[in-house]
Amino acid sequence: MSSQAVIFSPDDMRGALISRMLERKGLKVSLFKNIRNASEAIASLKPHILIVDTEGYFPSELGYFASLSPLLADSAVLFVANSSINDTINMPHTKVDWCVSYPLDLQIIATKALELLKPKEAQGDFKHLLPDIEKGLTEEDKVVIEDEDLEKDLMGFIGLK
Amino acid sequence: MSKKTIAIVGPKGGIGKSTISSNLAIALAEMGKKVTALDLDLGGANLHVLLGIKNVPHSLDDFLLKKVEDLKDILIDTELRNLKVICGGTNIPDIANMPFMQKMKLINHISRLDSDIAILDLAAGSSFNVIDFLFIANQQIIITSPESPSLIKVYGFLKSCVFRMLSFHLKNERAEEALEVLTRAKDTDANPHLKTINGIIGEIEGINPAAAESSKKMLTDFRPNIVLNMVRSEDETKAGKVICSMLKQYLSIEAKVIASVPSDEMVRRALFKNRPMMLIYPGSPFCLAIKGLAERCIYN
């Protein structure tokens, strides 16, 4: 089943570009230009991810999205903003990430959105790029690392045993 | 240093440090930051090669030989408006063993560069010059691959860093007896209890509790970032977790993995084309990871 994304963007062009990129990545996308419509959609659709394009918005207006936090408890939120929003937005029970607003980098927005949609235990630092690389490996090429064995080996080599 | 200075070191040579440095510089410049990339791989300069800069008009050699007065006189423009480079020296035979006063002069000039971010691409190895340039940065990035030889080099390098920090600190505190502990700690066969930093601090505590306390506090401020490079599978990323755990347990430092950069065949192609990845394959897995790393560098 496709993940549902709600995109809020006051800019037609940016909103359309972000929508198209995420649709290409397999998400079901609903795009809104108006905050009220976006919040009604959040309440009714309960999206897996909300993407907030902040271009042209004042930081204080973004606080509105923080107030939607209870509706987004099971969702993730990706802010497209020009500085870290950690100090201005408090959404303690929601998975939140952000990426730069300018220049608009659709690849990074898609990558981060997909990252946020992964189950928490599978999240990492772009580890989701690795399966594509793994596909190109033969069984003999694939490395299996056992944490304890590696630590034991390293301790032996370093002389810490 | 008030501007952001990011030092990038790869204790084991050949693990892609300069490839990451050069492309990270480009990523940051493309995000609107004014970036200066400095090749401080003294005697082994190659940042200009990775950035595709041919016919280098000046380099650190000119600054160190006092042919120019200021580092800004040897800034070289790149294709990107926001990115300038200071190329490393290659002609001075003993440049890697720069005398202390010359190093301090260079450090002073680095701090006066007019840029938002200075990226210092350091040499491989654990020489004092590499460690001292690492210390001047407010963000330290250690590049490693997931294999044991590289991880062992990371451990050894950071152990050298910790020893150097403790040495400076204890000299400042005029704790000569405590300094003796560091000397004894070099012979771990004779002093096995001094294999770990906890053991060393514990020994110092018996001699000079105040120096031990201040040393512990100083070490908590040293938080290097690790980037795992040339990663080919999810399993290989476990190497990052293992090395961070060992650094915490045996060196008492909190390191964390801030990026896992995938192994990417396009990197090799870019190297043969003598063009940076970020300019010719910006959508590749390598570049996506570097862009993510750039964001972490700006906002952490």
Side-chain angles (χ1 to χ4, degrees):
Chain A
M1 197 180 85
S2 300
S3 296
Q4 172 75 56
V6 164
I7 301 174
F8 166 73
S9 177
D11 184 289
D12 288 333
M13 176 81 82
R14 288 170 62 100
L17 287 170
I18 297 171
S19 293
R20 199 136 40 118
M21 173 54 97
L22 294 182
E23 277 168 347
R24 264 198 249 140
K25 295 292 179 184
L27 272 65
K28 257 171 64 178
V29 174
S30 303
L31 171 63
F32 300 94
K33 205 172 154 172
N34 174 289
I35 278 190
R36 174 170 282 182
N37 292 347
S39 59
E40 282 169 3
I42 289 166
S44 61
L45 293 173
K46 298 207 185 331
H48 297 97
I49 185 164
L50 165 66
I51 296 171
V52 181
D53 180 18
T54 65
E55 186 72 8
Y57 257 67
F58 294 110
S60 57
E61 291 171 302
L62 302 179
Y64 178 77
F65 289 100
S67 71
L68 297 177
S69 193
L71 292 175
L72 294 162
D74 296 324
S75 310
V77 182
L78 178 64
F79 285 93
V80 184
N82 257 349
S83 59
S84 173
I85 43 81
N86 290 336
D87 295 332
T88 48
I89 302 278
N90 184 23
M91 301 177 81
H93 307 297
T94 308
K95 272 190 289 187
V96 178
D97 201 352
W98 62 272
C99 55
V100 291
S101 163
Y102 179 82
L104 181 66
D105 191 327
L106 297 173
Q107 281 276 27
I108 211 104
I109 291 172
T111 298
K112 288 211 164 190
L114 293 174
E115 185 76 2
L116 281 168
L117 285 167
K118 284 170 74 177
K120 196 179 170 112
E121 55 275 6
Q123 282 181 3
D125 303 297
F126 295 94
K127 284 183 197 169
H128 68 277
L129 295 170
L130 295 171
D132 285 341
I133 290 156
E134 273 188 60
K135 273 188 218 155
L137 301 178
T138 63
E139 279 310 308
E140 280 138 358
D141 287 337
K142 284 182 193 166
V143 166
V144 174
I145 291 183
E146 300 294 340
D147 296 24
E148 279 179 26
D149 290 345
L150 176 59
E151 184 165 344
K152 249 191 279 180
D153 286 345
L154 290 175
M155 283 172 61
F157 290 133
I158 294 167
L160 287 169
K161 269 193 189 155
Chain B
M1 297 210 161
S2 53
K3 84 163 134 299
K4 195 174 275 270
T5 309
I6 303 171
I8 300 180
V9 64
K12 186 171 188 311
I15 39 82
K17 166 189 63 70
S18 298
T19 304
I20 288 180
S21 298
S22 51
N23 284 284
L24 179 61
I26 294 172
L28 289 165
E30 285 182 341
M31 285 174 184
K33 297 296 176 188
K34 236 167 109 180
V35 181
T36 305
L38 290 96
D39 193 342
L40 293 180
D41 188 344
L42 307 172
N46 64 358
L47 200 63
H48 60 290
V49 177
L50 291 155
L51 288 167
I53 300 171
K54 301 181 179 79
N55 305 317
V56 170
H58 15 254
S59 72
L60 266 183
D61 285 344
D62 298 302
F63 176 77
L64 296 171
L65 291 171
K66 299 183 188 176
K67 289 182 183 177
V68 298
E69 277 191 15
D70 202 300
L71 264 190
K72 66 174 167 35
D73 299 328
I74 56 169
L75 283 169
I76 295 174
D77 291 330
T78 67
E79 297 169 64
L80 293 165
R81 189 174 48 92
N82 278 354
L83 174 62
K84 295 198 192 301
V85 176
I86 289 176
C87 295
T90 50
N91 292 321
I92 303 175
D94 56 354
I95 190 176
N97 301 315
M98 191 185 290
F100 180 76
M101 289 309 295
Q102 207 172 36
K103 184 167 62 182
M104 294 314 296
K105 180 185 171 190
L106 178 55
I107 289 171
N108 188 22
H109 278 256
I110 291 171
S111 72
R112 297 202 318 239
L113 283 170
D114 177 27
S115 55
D116 299 321
I117 299 178
I119 291 191
L120 313 181
D121 181 38
L122 304 182
S126 311
S127 71
F128 282 164
N129 279 343
V130 174
I131 292 174
D132 291 345
F133 284 128
L134 185 83
F135 286 160
I136 67 171
N138 36 41
Q139 229 175 66
Q140 294 123 348
I141 296 179
I142 320 289
I143 311 290
T144 181
S145 60
E147 297 92 4
S148 295
S150 188
L151 297 173
I152 290 164
K153 284 277 192 178
V154 169
Y155 183 91
F157 174 76
L158 289 172
K159 184 175 178 181
S160 299
C161 289
V162 169
F163 263 65
R164 193 145 169 90
M165 286 169 72
L166 281 174
S167 175
F168 279 148
H169 177 71
L170 293 172
K171 279 180 194 161
N172 268 348
E173 301 281 292
R174 301 191 198 282
E176 280 81 17
E177 276 191 61
L179 267 169
E180 273 299 303
V181 176
L182 287 186
T183 307
R184 282 192 280 121
K186 290 176 188 172
D187 185 353
T188 52
D189 286 339
N191 303 287
H193 64 294
L194 299 179
K195 272 186 189 178
T196 68
I197 297 299
N198 270 344
I200 290 171
I201 301 280
E203 185 98 339
I204 293 175
E205 213 155 28
I207 301 167
N208 187 331
E213 193 55 38
S214 59
S215 297
K216 264 193 269 186
K217 166 120 192 14
M218 179 198 61
L219 287 176
T220 60
D221 292 335
F222 182 46
R223 290 166 180 258
N225 296 309
I226 291 179
V227 168
L228 275 181
N229 192 25
M230 299 192 281
V231 178
R232 301 207 302 170
S233 69
E234 181 108 20
D235 229 60
E236 291 182 17
T237 63
K238 289 182 192 171
K241 205 173 65 170
V242 169
I243 193 65
C244 286
S245 162
M246 287 179 67
L247 291 170
K248 169 89 179 146
Q249 196 176 352
Y250 299 107
L251 298 183
S252 303
I253 54 178
E254 291 278 355
K256 72 175 181 196
V257 176
I258 60 168
S260 296
V261 180
S263 175
D264 192 337
E265 181 55 34
M266 308 301 265
V267 171
R268 213 173 118 79
R269 285 194 217 172
L271 288 171
F272 275 108
K273 289 186 180 191
N274 295 316
R275 296 281 289 143
M277 278 288 284
M278 285 291 301
L279 297 184
I280 56 172
Y281 303 122
S284 62
F286 173 86
C287 289
L288 292 180
I290 296 298
K291 286 181 201 180
L293 175 60
E295 285 185 355
R296 283 191 178 90
C297 287
I298 293 175
Y299 297 116
N300 280 349

